[in-house]
Amino acid sequence: ETPQLVLPESGYLVAERFTVADILAAYSLRLAINAGLLELNQVSGYLTPLMARPAAQASEFFSSLG
């Protein structure tokens, strides 16, 4: 059985602000997507705004997701 994800549809994990929790979640989600365990569309509501952050774009952190 596939576990259900509990992520916000938008916003951040803690106190409606960007925290280290979001960085750790984004890293874990990227690994899971790259490993074929998740598809981007399953977490896009949460991950897309993080991918749009200037630092994420500058570092090309999400470049492997296409």
Side-chain angles (χ1 to χ4, degrees):
E1 186 174 319
T2 304
Q4 288 188 316
L5 297 174
V6 181
L7 293 171
E9 289 293 320
S10 63
Y12 302 109
L13 293 175
V14 179
E16 291 303 314
R17 62 187 175 136
F18 184 71
T19 66
V20 70
D22 296 296
I23 295 169
L24 294 172
Y27 179 76
S28 298
L29 292 170
R30 186 186 72 163
L31 288 175
I33 292 166
N34 286 336
L37 301 173
L38 287 175
E39 294 196 21
L40 181 57
N41 66 352
Q42 293 176 276
V43 294
S44 63
Y46 171 70
L47 206 54
T48 299
L50 298 181
M51 293 169 67
R53 293 180 62 84
Q57 290 182 355
S59 70
E60 300 181 3
F61 180 76
F62 294 105
S63 63
S64 64
L65 301 183

